[in-house]
Amino acid sequence: MIFILEMVNTKLTCTLTPRENLDFLIKDLPSRQFINYGKIFILKIKNKDEYACTYSIIPTEDYQLPENTFFVHRKKESNTLYTINALNELIKHLNYGVVNTNYKIEWNHYRNTLLITTHGELNPLKQHYTKL
């Protein structure tokens, strides 16, 4: 018996939304794109009325990202989410202005943090899991 496995390239995706749009977003996301395992994780941004919804998708050619949505990476051991631009800005900040891909980051310093850039500047957002 021969099995053919197709490699699927999933992308971890994050959408930032205010509380008043959260219910709509959760209902709307599955109609826009296949969400891997059907799971959406909701993280509350500390000291803001804002939430980060993370989910894995299998992007298609015609997929349009919702507003305030971007691809992220995750360090499981510290529960840190980050964009590549934010990672580069973090390294630059820690390494005296030099981006070095071999620079070792102490991820525990960024535990439960979403690292993004806003207007080209590093913007770390502390997060915590919440019940709605």
Side-chain angles (χ1 to χ4, degrees):
M1 185 176 277
I2 298 175
F3 293 97
I4 299 175
L5 299 175
E6 183 178 334
M7 295 299 291
V8 178
N9 188 16
T10 62
K11 298 280 188 182
L12 183 57
T13 310
C14 180
T15 302
L16 294 178
T17 188
R19 174 64 180 110
E20 62 266 12
N21 295 346
L22 186 59
D23 291 336
F24 173 78
L25 180 69
I26 293 168
K27 290 176 187 167
D28 182 55
L29 283 174
S31 68
R32 291 173 161 264
Q33 178 69 35
F34 175 76
I35 295 177
N36 213 24
Y37 303 111
K39 294 182 179 181
I40 301 172
F41 296 91
I42 302 168
L43 308 165
K44 170 81 170 86
I45 304 299
K46 286 187 178 182
N47 303 322
K48 292 187 176 199
D49 188 29
E50 190 169 31
Y51 291 80
C53 298
T54 62
Y55 46 97
S56 290
I57 63 168
I58 301 170
T60 59
E61 289 179 20
D62 60 341
Y63 180 64
Q64 297 289 322
L65 290 174
E67 188 175 337
N68 298 319
T69 300
F70 42 89
F71 296 121
V72 293
H73 301 269
R74 179 173 177 244
K75 285 291 182 186
K76 287 183 182 181
E77 60 272 7
S78 63
N79 194 34
T80 307
L81 298 168
Y82 60 92
T83 65
I84 295 299
N85 288 343
L87 178 61
N88 287 335
E89 287 299 316
L90 177 62
I91 292 170
K92 191 181 343 177
H93 173 77
L94 296 172
N95 196 32
Y96 307 102
V98 178
V99 177
N100 177 349
T101 56
N102 295 320
Y103 188 86
K104 299 293 183 205
I105 294 172
E106 182 61 49
W107 288 106
N108 281 328
H109 292 152
Y110 307 97
R111 180 172 293 288
N112 298 323
T113 302
L114 170 61
L115 298 171
I116 61 172
T117 54
T118 305
H119 307 296
E121 298 289 324
L122 183 63
N123 184 11
L125 301 172
K126 289 301 259 180
Q127 60 192 10
H128 65 275
Y129 292 93
T130 187
K131 289 185 179 182
L132 297 177

